[in-house]
Amino acid sequence: MNCKPGDLAIVTYTRNGELVGCVVEVLRGWGEFGELGYLWTIRMPRALQLYVPTGADAKCGIPSRVSTDSQFPDAWLRPVSGLPVHDEQLDEVTA
């Protein structure tokens, strides 16, 4: 798996291209879902109209709700890695 709960992740793919490149928060695991694989519940930076899919197109379906939380496949997310966070500023060691 690419992500774990608490990660910030970059969206690398969606069926309609919306949100690609956005940073999202990985909240919790949702479970396996057919050909999409493992899904995470994520929090998006802005609310989007979500659809119950009825066809191959991600926007082909029944509008369900506007939300900032949704489920996303692990394969479509890449965790954002960075420098470790410290409670105190570490001093440079000099000789």
Side-chain angles (χ1 to χ4, degrees):
M1 280 204 229
N2 295 320
C3 297
K4 62 183 185 302
D7 280 352
L8 293 179
I10 296 176
V11 176
T12 60
Y13 174 81
T14 63
R15 289 183 176 156
N16 63 4
E18 199 167 8
L19 285 179
V20 171
C22 287
V23 176
V24 298
E25 180 184 2
V26 178
L27 300 177
R28 62 190 163 278
W30 193 81
E32 290 289 329
F33 190 77
E35 66 184 47
L36 292 176
Y38 193 82
L39 300 183
W40 293 103
T41 298
I42 59 143
R43 178 151 298 141
M44 299 173 283
R46 65 187 191 287
L48 293 177
Q49 176 69 55
L50 302 176
Y51 293 82
V52 175
T54 59
D57 184 350
K59 283 201 167 184
C60 177
I62 304 163
S64 61
R65 68 191 198 290
V66 175
S67 180
T68 57
D69 293 359
S70 186
Q71 284 69 44
F72 250 69
D74 184 69
W76 298 2
L77 299 170
R78 290 292 174 266
V80 176
S81 59
L83 298 173
V85 177
H86 299 282
D87 289 339
E88 301 175 6
Q89 177 64 39
L90 298 178
D91 293 329
E92 183 177 320
V93 177
T94 57

